Amino acid sequence: PLVFRAALLRGLDARGRSDVGSAGRVVARASGERLYATGDAADAVFVVISGALRVVELERRGAAARVSERVVRGFEVTGEEAVLGPSAVRHADAFAVGASEIAEIPFVVLERALVRAGGQDLLEKTVRAARRRLLERRLEASGLLEGLDDTSRGELLDLAVVRAHERGEIVARPTDPATSGATPTTAMR
């Protein structure tokens, strides 16, 4: 199938292709029809097979906000938030540009297939990039990056650590020394 032309899927072995093909599905969208919306569960990645998607996201920088748009075309991937785990949510809206066919691939299946096929490096790189983008958006929305130049922003993002916490888990106590700060990066569904 054409979907395996996507860079993220090229390294899959025959079994991985079979698993992804069995678990995934192809969805058709008419021009302007929404594929996903901000706040939707992010449990799959999407590969554009034909047509294109317009991905629209509200980006915040401190008190200011702007709309960011990008177009995802043939065999490019969107929906990378899925790499962030089972409680991840979409941070953008995606709409078809013209009649489009898109492969929807459950991330847990893709992750298993990539690891088994030796694609651990590609998977780790994808996860790191998605986490960094999400962290940058959250720090911008909180105002913590306001006034920083690009070098300082990059250094702060390089030093930041993303930690997962269970619902109800204590993240910090009032008596803990103030050696770091925390900001939520995903909301629970």
Side-chain angles (χ1 to χ4, degrees):
L2 293 174
V3 69
F4 295 107
R5 290 185 184 176
L8 184 61
L9 305 177
R10 282 189 202 133
L12 293 179
D13 58 16
R15 181 174 168 197
R17 287 174 179 238
S18 175
D19 290 350
V20 165
S22 296
R25 67 185 182 123
V26 175
V27 294
R29 292 291 186 265
S31 186
E33 190 175 356
R34 185 187 314 252
L35 177 65
Y36 59 79
T38 300
D40 286 354
D43 54 2
V45 294
F46 300 93
V47 177
V48 175
I49 298 171
S50 66
L53 292 172
R54 182 171 53 94
V55 180
V56 182
E57 180 177 3
L58 180 64
E59 293 182 346
R60 296 192 182 279
R61 255 200 176 180
R66 72 180 181 95
V67 174
S68 168
E69 290 190 26
R70 66 186 171 103
V71 176
V72 180
R73 301 188 192 292
F75 310 110
E76 293 179 340
V77 176
T78 188
E80 302 92 337
E81 302 97 335
V83 306
L84 300 174
S87 64
V89 295
R90 301 280 174 217
H91 297 279
D93 297 331
F95 302 91
V97 177
S100 301
E101 285 191 326
I102 305 104
E104 179 179 358
I105 304 166
F107 183 71
V108 294
V109 174
L110 177 59
E111 180 179 36
R112 189 171 45 241
L114 281 170
V115 169
R116 190 179 53 246
Q120 185 70 33
D121 290 342
L122 178 58
L123 178 65
E124 288 175 5
K125 180 180 175 184
T126 303
V127 169
R128 265 193 319 275
R131 283 191 174 147
R132 184 179 175 101
R133 280 192 305 275
L134 175 63
L135 180 62
E136 184 171 21
R137 284 195 301 263
R138 292 299 175 250
L139 291 176
E140 283 176 348
S142 72
L144 291 173
L145 298 181
E146 197 167 338
L148 295 180
D149 61 32
D150 288 343
T151 301
S152 298
R153 290 167 65 92
E155 289 172 352
L156 180 61
L157 289 168
D158 289 341
L159 292 171
V161 176
V162 176
R163 293 192 178 111
H165 297 280
E166 297 298 322
R167 183 182 298 271
E169 180 181 349
I170 295 173
V171 177
R173 298 185 192 304
T175 57
D176 289 346
T179 58
S180 63
T183 185
T185 57
T186 59
M188 297 298 291
R189 281 188 273 138

